[in-house]
Amino acid sequence: MTISTNQQEQNAIFGFHAVESLLKNQIDSVSELLVLKGRADRRLNAILALAKGASHISIRYLDRHALDRQVGDRHQGIVAICSEQLEKDEGDLEDILQGQRESIFLLILDGVTDPHNLGACIRSANAAGVTAVIIPKDKSARLNSTALKVACGAAQYTPVVRVTNLARTLKWLQQYGIWIVGAAGEAEETIYQAEFTGSVALVMGNEGKGLRRLTREHCDSLVKIPMSGDVSSLNVSVATGVCLFEALRQRQNT
Ligand SMILES: C[S@@+](CC[C@H](N)C(=O)[O-])C[C@H]1O[C@@H](n2cnc3c(N)ncnc32)[C@H](O)[C@@H]1O
């Protein structure tokens, strides 16, 4: 099977963690496994055993050069080719929210453009028990192979939903009873004063421009992480981790 570079970026998942959790959680989405020729170790064998149990997955052994051509040299000897897109669309959002038994906890990324940041945010979101991560269709990193690798398998557990119009989605979430909290360095209220219990969505801004005006206007409150150094802001994935884990602390205490 040959795949175009763009399709390949979206559909090739590599690295042990990412491939293993994909096979464990969404095995139906995997059509092919590319394996580095000559590699044989316990970790790889465990992955191969998972794939061999599924008759729809074909396994191909490639030399390093051919594997590097697929995804660059960061594959750790294993690449899964997905036949289905892993991102969900907004039509899936209501089902995801209705399937949640505890109070809803969302992470919304308002135009995070670096796939490394996206992957790191998804990883933290999963670790903090977030229900779903929402990203806009435009001006946002996709859930590509880099983001999936950085997310370290988290995207196979925590759904990532792409929405066409983020402002409209924020309004819909408010009507659904979800409190929207935007993170912005210049806010008055700190994350330690704010309340993150109940059904909450945390909104983080773009790496350079922060929250867009329309997004900001749709937030019910804005919060800051107090800082005492010289820089004016944190990296978005670091800020996401700080906010999510303050929220988790509060949610676990109630
Ligand atoms: C690199 S910052 C963007 C900085 C941008 N120059 C601005 O004015 O917002 C990316 C995102 O991380 C979050 N962030 C970074 N530092 C923060 C802080 N001290 N308090 C709250 N959020 C922060 C915000 O959501 C921000 O939009």
Side-chain angles (χ1 to χ4, degrees), residues 183-185 203-211 223-225 227 233-236 239:
V203 193
M204 308 302 296
N206 164 268
E207 291 92 339
K209 296 182 184 151
L211 296 172
V223 295
K224 70 174 174 201
I225 302 163
M227 306 201 300
S233 66
L234 294 165
N235 166 279
V236 64

Side-chain angles (χ1 to χ4, degrees), residues 49-66:
L50 287 171
K52 282 176 181 162
S55 56
H56 67 281
I57 301 179
S58 59
I59 300 175
R60 253 198 313 152
Y61 292 86
L62 301 181
D63 61 27
R64 184 170 295 280
H65 182 64

Side-chain angles (χ1 to χ4, degrees), residues 53 66 77 106 113 164:
L106 297 172
T113 53
T164 313

